[in-house]
Amino acid sequence: MKDVAAVAGVSLATVSRVVNDVPVDPVLAGRVQDAVTRLGYRRDAAAAGLRRANRSSASIGIVLDDVANPFFSAVHRGLEEVARARGVLIFSGSSDDDPALERDLALSFSAHGVDGLVIVPAGTDHRYLERERAAGIALVFVDRPPQRILADAVLTDNAGGVRDAVAHLLAAGHRRIGYLGDRSHIFTAAERLGGYLARGEESLVRMDLVGSEAAERGALELLQGPDPPTALICGQNHLTIGALYALRALGLEAEVALVGFDDIPLGGLVRPGVTVVAQDPVALGRHAAELLFARLEGDDSPPRRIVVPTRLIARGSGEIRPSDRMRS
Amino acid sequence: MKDVAAVAGVSLATVSRVVNDVPVDPVLAGRVQDAVTRLGYRRDAAAAGLRRANRSSASIGIVLDDVANPFFSAVHRGLEEVARARGVLIFSGSSDDDPALERDLALSFSAHGVDGLVIVPAGTDHRYLERERAAGIALVFVDRPPQRILADAVLTDNAGGVRDAVAHLLAAGHRRIGYLGDRSHIFTAAERLGGYLARGEESLVRMDLVGSEAAERGALELLQGPDPPTALICGQNHLTIGALYALRALGLEAEVALVGFDDIPLGGLVRPGVTVVAQDPVALGRHAAELLFARLEGDDSPPRRIVVPTRLIARGSGEIRPSDRMRS
DNA sequence: TTGTAAGCGTTATCAT
DNA sequence: ATGATAACGCTTACAA
């Protein structure tokens, strides 16, 4: 910038003004522009933020569970869409569901001067962010609510989605509906179980299933037990896949109804097509970013909680009616 | 840091030394550590980089085609693994295959002071990066090679993967093998077509198919034409899915063999299972990051090109032998 | 409108 | 080993 000023024959301040479109004599502005292009000058964003009044860096940080997980990468995409429109850059990282990593990442981002933080929480105590917020960093939580700190959150309507699944199966005539769920200490897993229990039977629940193999075993247990369910609801992606394998192993894919939570790719190619309660991760990301930027622009209303609805996609497996064989 | 110095009763320089583990009297160091934790001080990475000799920021930027595409998000993950081990943060963004966006992102990252750039190129002229490289920014290209600039690249063995697919089908007895490909101006699409043409027939090729619907039409055309192929190779993910729908529509899933390039999720649940030539995107990312950090650490050998092999995963569809009906 | 100069939080140089 | 101080590239009072 010093060089630009020298070449254009103006002061440092004038170059800064031109670069930040502060009104400047058109003649001088022209000279500066010429010098800028001639020297290929680009302003150092880090240094600029350092001195700026609000210390803003036009960057935010996002802590996801796993950037490579399609659900979270879709959230990432939603965030990116709205950040891009504002020329804001994104630091991203995966916590792998490790509270210590979540913390490290969030604080590293903060140390690098981000204006805001979007977090898919892994930890259960977010008081460590109190200081960042006091420093003016905006905070939004996604998919899971913050704990021990007050902050905005954008969540999926987990309970409502499962209630819809139950209602859908009930309407098809099912009376015995099984439920396969993830580790119950996980917020979303607990919420979904809650949605099931509103009208479901506790004895047909298998929780704390992690991974598709566990789900397959859980499903086999349920289906081979006495008085087996005529329909299954799976609380998560991988569990749905496990249940699919179990049904196939027993030759029951056309007999027992199945509704999965969270869409699965190629759900339409499998036979029968897999009926799911789909989430909208891109919307989750978009809402989170909008909340974040609103805070950055001065909105200081009380913490908000946005709940994104789910959508039931009927593809066949959820529309199977209870067979006579099973009902007997 | 000023405050820490005051509280600890030492100079600014000493605090800086403690923070950067430069040898310091243990007593003073202790006092500084106390002050640091008491005040909750954390060093400002941006300001530190500004003054540091090598101006390093412990951050890199990656320009992907689309962060939400499972292939690229796996690349992202591979990059993250090795960056995390070095405490390096990652700016990420999607170019959506738009050369202008690629450029904007790369230059924005650079303006924010990244030490290196990993790029999945969308553009066909990367001379705009010459200046960044001259400024000491390391450059590595992934999945597609750089153009009009010399730089490291990490690529999949596209041609080799398709050659393997052809050999696999030939070994199963097929003589007429069709090929469905993406837009031929895309580097990877051209390479894969090249792999096919080594032993394939030009008349059975359908290129410039974008999206699964186009692939479905292309496949139907080939399969309903005179002297149809007994096997199909699909040059890309979505094309494989389109072909799958076409085969299902014609009731030929068990008659016509199919090998897809790039793995598809749930490839094992569809009947028959989908045989694919799988890429290793995580390895792509890991290699790229390793190359980048080697450059950052001073390696100035000539630009390298790393080729990552593919792996054929047999799941059924590629092992179908030519039926009599088709062969007649 | 333009220039001068102070200062953002840090590291590096140079005495001590 | 420690401290005073200049400097990094930039924005922003304040003065002209």
Side-chain angles (χ1 to χ4, degrees), chain B residues 213-242:
Chain B
E213 284 86 4
E216 188 175 350
R217 285 191 298 274
L220 287 174
E221 219 176 284
L222 239 32
L223 293 169
Q224 296 179 315
D227 205 2
T230 61
L232 247 30
I233 294 178
C234 301
Q236 199 246 12
N237 234 325
H238 296 111
L239 307 187
T240 306
I241 292 168

Short mmCIF file of all heavy atoms in Angstrom, two decimals, chain B residues 213-242:
data_model
loop_
_atom_site.label_atom_id
_atom_site.label_comp_id
_atom_site.label_asym_id
_atom_site.label_seq_id
_atom_site.Cartn_x
_atom_site.Cartn_y
_atom_site.Cartn_z
N GLU B 213 -30.52 -38.10 -15.34
CA GLU B 213 -31.56 -38.25 -16.37
C GLU B 213 -30.93 -38.40 -17.75
O GLU B 213 -31.33 -39.26 -18.54
CB GLU B 213 -32.52 -37.05 -16.39
CG GLU B 213 -33.53 -37.04 -15.26
CD GLU B 213 -32.95 -36.38 -14.02
OE1 GLU B 213 -31.80 -35.89 -14.09
OE2 GLU B 213 -33.63 -36.37 -12.98
N ALA B 214 -29.93 -37.56 -18.02
CA ALA B 214 -29.25 -37.64 -19.32
C ALA B 214 -28.62 -39.02 -19.48
O ALA B 214 -28.67 -39.63 -20.55
CB ALA B 214 -28.20 -36.55 -19.44
N ALA B 215 -28.04 -39.52 -18.39
CA ALA B 215 -27.40 -40.83 -18.45
C ALA B 215 -28.44 -41.91 -18.71
O ALA B 215 -28.20 -42.86 -19.46
CB ALA B 215 -26.66 -41.11 -17.14
N GLU B 216 -29.60 -41.75 -18.08
CA GLU B 216 -30.66 -42.74 -18.27
C GLU B 216 -31.06 -42.79 -19.75
O GLU B 216 -31.15 -43.86 -20.35
CB GLU B 216 -31.87 -42.38 -17.40
CG GLU B 216 -32.94 -43.44 -17.39
CD GLU B 216 -34.08 -43.13 -16.42
OE1 GLU B 216 -33.93 -42.16 -15.62
OE2 GLU B 216 -35.10 -43.83 -16.47
N ARG B 217 -31.24 -41.62 -20.35
CA ARG B 217 -31.58 -41.57 -21.78
C ARG B 217 -30.48 -42.18 -22.62
O ARG B 217 -30.72 -42.95 -23.55
CB ARG B 217 -31.83 -40.12 -22.21
CG ARG B 217 -33.17 -39.56 -21.74
CD ARG B 217 -33.48 -38.23 -22.44
NE ARG B 217 -32.48 -37.20 -22.14
CZ ARG B 217 -32.53 -36.40 -21.06
NH1 ARG B 217 -33.51 -36.51 -20.20
NH2 ARG B 217 -31.60 -35.49 -20.86
N GLY B 218 -29.23 -41.82 -22.30
CA GLY B 218 -28.10 -42.35 -23.06
C GLY B 218 -28.06 -43.87 -23.00
O GLY B 218 -27.83 -44.55 -24.01
N ALA B 219 -28.29 -44.39 -21.81
CA ALA B 219 -28.24 -45.84 -21.63
C ALA B 219 -29.37 -46.51 -22.41
O ALA B 219 -29.16 -47.54 -23.08
CB ALA B 219 -28.34 -46.19 -20.15
N LEU B 220 -30.57 -45.92 -22.36
CA LEU B 220 -31.71 -46.49 -23.08
C LEU B 220 -31.42 -46.53 -24.59
O LEU B 220 -31.68 -47.53 -25.26
CB LEU B 220 -32.97 -45.66 -22.81
CG LEU B 220 -33.58 -45.82 -21.42
CD1 LEU B 220 -34.73 -44.85 -21.21
CD2 LEU B 220 -34.05 -47.26 -21.20
N GLU B 221 -30.83 -45.45 -25.08
CA GLU B 221 -30.47 -45.34 -26.49
C GLU B 221 -29.56 -46.49 -26.90
O GLU B 221 -29.79 -47.19 -27.89
CB GLU B 221 -29.72 -44.03 -26.66
CG GLU B 221 -30.02 -43.25 -27.91
CD GLU B 221 -29.25 -41.94 -27.86
OE1 GLU B 221 -29.70 -41.05 -27.10
OE2 GLU B 221 -28.19 -41.85 -28.52
N LEU B 222 -28.51 -46.68 -26.10
CA LEU B 222 -27.53 -47.72 -26.38
C LEU B 222 -28.17 -49.10 -26.32
O LEU B 222 -27.97 -49.95 -27.21
CB LEU B 222 -26.43 -47.63 -25.31
CG LEU B 222 -24.96 -47.40 -25.71
CD1 LEU B 222 -24.81 -46.56 -26.95
CD2 LEU B 222 -24.23 -46.74 -24.55
N LEU B 223 -28.99 -49.32 -25.28
CA LEU B 223 -29.53 -50.66 -25.03
C LEU B 223 -30.66 -51.02 -25.99
O LEU B 223 -30.94 -52.20 -26.22
CB LEU B 223 -30.03 -50.76 -23.59
CG LEU B 223 -28.92 -50.67 -22.53
CD1 LEU B 223 -29.52 -50.51 -21.14
CD2 LEU B 223 -28.03 -51.92 -22.59
N GLN B 224 -31.34 -50.00 -26.53
CA GLN B 224 -32.44 -50.28 -27.44
C GLN B 224 -32.03 -50.17 -28.89
O GLN B 224 -32.83 -50.41 -29.79
CB GLN B 224 -33.61 -49.32 -27.13
CG GLN B 224 -34.16 -49.54 -25.73
CD GLN B 224 -35.30 -48.59 -25.38
OE1 GLN B 224 -35.21 -47.39 -25.64
NE2 GLN B 224 -36.35 -49.12 -24.81
N GLY B 225 -30.79 -49.78 -29.11
CA GLY B 225 -30.30 -49.66 -30.47
C GLY B 225 -30.03 -51.02 -31.07
O GLY B 225 -30.22 -52.05 -30.42
N PRO B 226 -29.58 -51.03 -32.32
CA PRO B 226 -29.24 -52.29 -32.97
C PRO B 226 -27.93 -52.81 -32.38
O PRO B 226 -27.05 -52.02 -32.08
CB PRO B 226 -29.05 -51.88 -34.44
CG PRO B 226 -28.66 -50.44 -34.39
CD PRO B 226 -29.30 -49.86 -33.15
N ASP B 227 -27.85 -54.12 -32.22
CA ASP B 227 -26.64 -54.73 -31.70
C ASP B 227 -26.18 -54.07 -30.39
O ASP B 227 -25.09 -53.50 -30.31
CB ASP B 227 -25.52 -54.60 -32.74
CG ASP B 227 -24.48 -55.71 -32.56
OD1 ASP B 227 -24.68 -56.56 -31.66
OD2 ASP B 227 -23.49 -55.70 -33.30
N PRO B 228 -27.02 -54.13 -29.37
CA PRO B 228 -26.75 -53.42 -28.11
C PRO B 228 -25.57 -54.04 -27.34
O PRO B 228 -25.26 -55.22 -27.54
CB PRO B 228 -28.05 -53.58 -27.33
CG PRO B 228 -28.64 -54.84 -27.83
CD PRO B 228 -28.27 -54.93 -29.29
N PRO B 229 -24.95 -53.23 -26.49
CA PRO B 229 -23.86 -53.73 -25.66
C PRO B 229 -24.38 -54.72 -24.62
O PRO B 229 -25.55 -54.66 -24.24
CB PRO B 229 -23.31 -52.47 -24.99
CG PRO B 229 -24.45 -51.51 -24.98
CD PRO B 229 -25.22 -51.80 -26.23
N THR B 230 -23.51 -55.60 -24.16
CA THR B 230 -23.90 -56.54 -23.10
C THR B 230 -23.39 -56.05 -21.75
O THR B 230 -23.62 -56.69 -20.73
CB THR B 230 -23.32 -57.93 -23.36
OG1 THR B 230 -21.88 -57.84 -23.37
CG2 THR B 230 -23.78 -58.46 -24.71
N ALA B 231 -22.66 -54.95 -21.79
CA ALA B 231 -22.13 -54.39 -20.55
C ALA B 231 -21.98 -52.88 -20.70
O ALA B 231 -21.83 -52.38 -21.81
CB ALA B 231 -20.78 -55.01 -20.22
N LEU B 232 -22.03 -52.19 -19.56
CA LEU B 232 -21.95 -50.72 -19.55
C LEU B 232 -20.90 -50.27 -18.55
O LEU B 232 -20.81 -50.80 -17.45
CB LEU B 232 -23.31 -50.18 -19.11
CG LEU B 232 -24.22 -49.38 -20.04
CD1 LEU B 232 -24.06 -49.80 -21.50
CD2 LEU B 232 -25.68 -49.53 -19.60
N ILE B 233 -20.15 -49.26 -18.95
CA ILE B 233 -19.26 -48.61 -17.99
C ILE B 233 -19.73 -47.17 -17.87
O ILE B 233 -19.99 -46.51 -18.88
CB ILE B 233 -17.79 -48.64 -18.46
CG1 ILE B 233 -17.29 -50.09 -18.50
CG2 ILE B 233 -16.91 -47.82 -17.53
CD1 ILE B 233 -15.87 -50.23 -19.01
N CYS B 234 -19.86 -46.68 -16.64
CA CYS B 234 -20.31 -45.32 -16.43
C CYS B 234 -19.17 -44.51 -15.85
O CYS B 234 -18.58 -44.89 -14.84
CB CYS B 234 -21.49 -45.29 -15.47
SG CYS B 234 -22.86 -46.26 -16.09
N GLY B 235 -18.88 -43.39 -16.47
CA GLY B 235 -17.71 -42.61 -16.11
C GLY B 235 -17.88 -41.76 -14.87
O GLY B 235 -16.96 -41.02 -14.51
N GLN B 236 -19.01 -41.84 -14.22
CA GLN B 236 -19.22 -40.97 -13.06
C GLN B 236 -20.42 -41.41 -12.26
O GLN B 236 -21.35 -42.05 -12.77
CB GLN B 236 -19.38 -39.53 -13.59
CG GLN B 236 -19.15 -38.45 -12.57
CD GLN B 236 -20.46 -37.73 -12.32
OE1 GLN B 236 -21.52 -38.19 -12.73
NE2 GLN B 236 -20.38 -36.62 -11.61
N ASN B 237 -20.35 -41.08 -10.99
CA ASN B 237 -21.39 -41.29 -10.01
C ASN B 237 -22.85 -41.19 -10.47
O ASN B 237 -23.60 -42.16 -10.44
CB ASN B 237 -21.21 -40.16 -8.99
CG ASN B 237 -21.10 -40.73 -7.63
OD1 ASN B 237 -21.76 -41.72 -7.34
ND2 ASN B 237 -20.27 -40.14 -6.81
N HIS B 238 -23.22 -39.98 -10.88
CA HIS B 238 -24.61 -39.75 -11.27
C HIS B 238 -24.99 -40.53 -12.51
O HIS B 238 -26.13 -40.93 -12.69
CB HIS B 238 -24.84 -38.26 -11.50
CG HIS B 238 -24.67 -37.44 -10.28
ND1 HIS B 238 -23.63 -36.55 -10.11
CD2 HIS B 238 -25.38 -37.40 -9.12
CE1 HIS B 238 -23.73 -35.99 -8.91
NE2 HIS B 238 -24.77 -36.48 -8.30
N LEU B 239 -24.00 -40.74 -13.39
CA LEU B 239 -24.28 -41.48 -14.61
C LEU B 239 -24.58 -42.94 -14.26
O LEU B 239 -25.43 -43.58 -14.89
CB LEU B 239 -23.08 -41.38 -15.56
CG LEU B 239 -22.60 -39.95 -15.85
CD1 LEU B 239 -21.52 -39.96 -16.92
CD2 LEU B 239 -23.77 -39.08 -16.28
N THR B 240 -23.89 -43.45 -13.26
CA THR B 240 -24.13 -44.82 -12.82
C THR B 240 -25.57 -44.97 -12.34
O THR B 240 -26.27 -45.94 -12.67
CB THR B 240 -23.17 -45.20 -11.68
OG1 THR B 240 -21.83 -44.96 -12.10
CG2 THR B 240 -23.35 -46.66 -11.28
N ILE B 241 -26.02 -43.98 -11.59
CA ILE B 241 -27.37 -44.03 -11.06
C ILE B 241 -28.39 -43.96 -12.20
O ILE B 241 -29.36 -44.73 -12.24
CB ILE B 241 -27.58 -42.89 -10.05
CG1 ILE B 241 -26.71 -43.18 -8.81
CG2 ILE B 241 -29.04 -42.75 -9.66
CD1 ILE B 241 -26.58 -42.04 -7.84
N GLY B 242 -28.13 -43.10 -13.17
CA GLY B 242 -29.02 -43.01 -14.33
C GLY B 242 -29.10 -44.34 -15.06
O GLY B 242 -30.18 -44.81 -15.44
#
